Amino acid sequence: MNNYISFFKEIQARSKFEIEYEKRHSKKLAAKFNTMKFLHWNENKVSEILAFFLNPNEDHGQGDIYLRLFKEELGLYFPYDAPEKVQVILEDSTFENRRVDIVLKNKDQSSVLGIENKIYPWTKDQENQVEDYLKYLQYISNHHYQLLYLTPKSKELTEYSGGKEIEKLIETGKLYLINYEEHIIPLLKEFIKNTENERVRCFLIDFESQLIENYMGKENLDLGSLNHFITETEENIETAFRVSNTLNSIKQEMRNLVDQQMLQLTDELTEELKMRILYNEQFHHFEIPVFKNLFIKFNYEEGGVIYGLVKTPHYMDSHYDKVYLNDLRNYLGIKFRTSHWWPLFFLQYHNIEHDAAFWIDVRNGKFKKFMKDFIIAVIEAPENLKPNL
């Protein structure tokens, strides 16, 4: 136990030093600046960026260098006699009206590559999704086809999506499982090395940095003294891995704690507001007696935690189109977004897989208080702002 205490104290000391150094030299380092922060980061956008660089005919002006590196680094078969004959398609429609995220074809379609892109480990596949993609690629190919299933390292592909022949498809190479941590991030390093234009190189560096932050943690952006300390001794390396291997179980315990806190919160609100408020642990929403059409809800989405107002299933059936609550939005003073399910929602915590902010706020009770304040603010808003609730 003493070894663990010493280890963590040293880590904390070195972390504080690096944070202080970054603050003092922020004008020159601008370590937190990243052009990716200006984009709406989702699977479609990441697929769009990947397709742009894999297309030899796009405006990056670097020809087929990225496609060649993509083939070489991943060991892919995709012959073409001229870059201008390569076609890269986004959201290619299949027979079942599904869409393959990226499809690459050579001129005579003798070889076809498909890429199914999942940027979050918890995003669920549809039934037979990958199996249907493979059938589609086989149909449009004259000779060779292959589907690359691109995900975070922790996401698994099951028979529910890939079908009963999934193992055989992987063995024959028709289905190739790749991930961001072991394949795409190292590939981007090669892209950066081989880019001749400085503006394009800077964009790729930002893209790489964003992926590293998302999948490997922000601390990996700058190795600094922490990495040197951890690799100084075998004991430090072993301790670091033991700590790392406990994170998933810690996060699950913390999620359970969130549900416990929300159940406690319903008791507090019921007492304070004199109305029976219920919390649904499965869907993370609060049922408010005076609201018939909407729940107050938080959820683990977009790589983080969102919160806001969500339609009840019955209201969704009768009001599929977006429902705008602009007056309530303005009253609450939050830059809420709107979707078909969520009349109001906001991404409160980013990248909770690698950023500790949410988990810390769970432990110290700030997230519970945050949800309590939001619930009270909505309930106590003027009645004329809540006609649709």
Side-chain angles (χ1 to χ4, degrees):
M1 180 60 70
N2 289 334
N3 289 340
Y4 282 108
I5 294 173
S6 299
F7 179 83
F8 277 110
K9 283 184 176 179
E10 185 64 28
I11 290 288
Q12 289 172 345
R14 290 171 185 255
S15 294
K16 288 179 181 178
F17 171 79
E18 292 189 354
I19 291 170
E20 184 61 31
Y21 181 85
E22 182 181 306
K23 286 181 179 178
R24 290 184 180 181
H25 301 277
S26 60
K27 288 186 177 180
K28 290 184 178 180
L29 295 175
K32 295 182 180 179
F33 179 80
N34 190 319
T35 56
M36 296 294 113
K37 303 296 185 185
F38 294 97
L39 303 179
H40 179 45
W41 188 266
N42 56 27
E43 287 176 355
N44 290 338
K45 181 57 64 178
V46 176
S47 295
E48 184 181 345
I49 293 172
L50 290 172
F52 175 85
F53 285 101
L54 292 178
N55 191 340
N57 307 301
E58 272 291 3
D59 293 339
H60 50 68
Q62 307 301 296
D64 67 337
I65 182 61
Y66 305 124
L67 180 55
R68 284 191 280 120
L69 288 168
F70 182 68
K71 288 172 51 182
E72 292 167 6
E73 295 296 319
L74 297 182
L76 304 175
Y77 178 80
F78 185 73
Y80 56 91
D81 53 14
E84 58 269 19
K85 295 180 181 179
V86 174
Q87 186 180 13
V88 181
I89 305 168
L90 273 168
E91 298 285 306
D92 197 12
S93 297
T94 71
F95 311 119
E96 295 79 13
N97 291 321
R98 287 174 168 167
R99 298 178 184 275
V100 186
D101 291 323
I102 305 172
V103 172
L104 292 84
K105 305 176 183 177
N106 53 18
K107 185 178 181 181
D108 60 2
Q109 295 192 181
S110 62
S111 187
V112 177
L113 291 178
I115 302 174
E116 170 59 11
N117 179 31
K118 302 286 187 186
I119 67 172
Y120 301 123
W122 49 81
T123 303
K124 295 181 180 179
D125 286 3
Q126 299 170 9
E127 187 174 5
N128 301 323
Q129 182 178 359
V130 165
E131 185 178 27
D132 288 343
Y133 288 169
L134 283 161
K135 289 177 181 178
Y136 171 71
L137 296 177
Q138 182 180 24
Y139 176 81
I140 65 174
S141 168
N142 293 328
H143 175 63
H144 176 269
Y145 68 95
Q146 186 177 37
L147 177 68
L148 280 63
Y149 187 72
L150 170 60
T151 68
K153 188 177 179 181
S154 59
K155 181 172 175 56
E156 295 183 3
L157 176 63
T158 66
E159 289 185 2
Y160 180 78
S161 175
K164 293 182 178 179
E165 299 293 319
I166 185 172
E167 294 299 330
K168 183 178 179 181
L169 290 167
I170 293 173
E171 289 176 7
T172 59
K174 298 299 183 186
L175 178 60
Y176 186 11
L177 308 184
I178 61 175
N179 62 69
Y180 279 97
E181 295 93 321
E182 297 176 329
H183 299 99
I184 299 303
I185 290 173
L187 179 63
L188 284 174
K189 294 184 185 299
E190 295 303 315
F191 281 14
I192 293 165
K193 286 181 191 175
N194 289 275
T195 299
E196 296 185 31
N197 180 271
E198 188 61 28
R199 287 186 301 161
V200 177
R201 184 186 297 109
C202 288
F203 183 92
L204 282 167
I205 290 172
D206 282 352
F207 186 42
E208 177 201 29
S209 297
Q210 188 63 51
L211 292 180
I212 291 174
E213 181 177 339
N214 286 358
Y215 299 115
M216 302 168 72
K218 190 172 182 180
E219 63 276 6
N220 281 283
L221 294 175
D222 182 9
L223 299 181
S225 62
L226 291 180
N227 283 31
H228 294 300
F229 166 68
I230 290 172
T231 55
E232 274 178 5
T233 68
E234 294 177 4
E235 184 180 11
N236 284 358
I237 295 172
E238 185 178 1
T239 302
F241 271 87
R242 284 180 178 173
V243 171
S244 176
N245 291 335
T246 64
L247 281 177
N248 285 334
S249 62
I250 289 172
K251 290 171 188 173
Q252 186 56 53
E253 287 182 14
M254 297 296 282
R255 287 186 186 224
N256 294 338
L257 177 58
V258 171
D259 286 329
Q260 292 174 25
Q261 291 178 343
M262 296 303 105
L263 289 170
Q264 293 168 3
L265 178 55
T266 59
D267 292 337
E268 294 175 15
L269 290 170
T270 297
E271 177 67 24
E272 292 179 24
L273 300 175
K274 307 304 178 185
M275 64 174 68
R276 183 59 175 163
I277 295 174
L278 301 176
Y279 173 66
N280 186 305
E281 294 181 63
Q282 181 180 0
F283 299 108
H284 313 301
H285 69 234
F286 293 86
E287 300 174 18
I288 313 297
V290 293
F291 299 160
K292 304 301 181 184
N293 299 323
L294 301 174
F295 298 130
I296 295 178
K297 176 182 174 75
F298 73 91
N299 206 27
Y300 303 101
E301 292 185 31
E302 297 193 3
V305 176
I306 67 174
Y307 77 98
L309 299 174
V310 69
K311 298 175 185 176
T312 64
H314 174 76
Y315 192 61
M316 181 65 180
D317 289 341
S318 59
H319 292 76
Y320 176 75
D321 292 339
K322 292 182 180 179
V323 174
Y324 298 94
L325 302 174
N326 290 330
D327 291 340
L328 181 59
R329 177 180 184 269
N330 294 334
Y331 170 80
L332 294 171
I334 306 295
K335 294 182 179 179
F336 287 107
R337 291 150 54 194
T338 302
S339 71
H340 287 288
W341 269 106
W342 297 72
L344 298 177
F345 75 97
F346 186 80
L347 180 62
Q348 181 66 15
Y349 295 91
H350 299 257
N351 194 21
I352 61 173
E353 288 302 304
H354 298 287
D355 191 308
F358 171 66
W359 311 109
I360 290 173
D361 282 357
V362 170
R363 185 184 183 279
N364 61 28
K366 287 184 178 179
F367 179 66
K368 177 185 173 184
K369 183 179 185 305
F370 173 83
M371 288 304 302
K372 180 177 182 178
D373 292 343
F374 176 65
I375 292 170
I376 292 175
V378 174
I379 291 175
E380 295 185 347
E383 291 302 316
N384 64 308
L385 304 183
K386 304 180 293 184
N388 295 319
L389 272 61

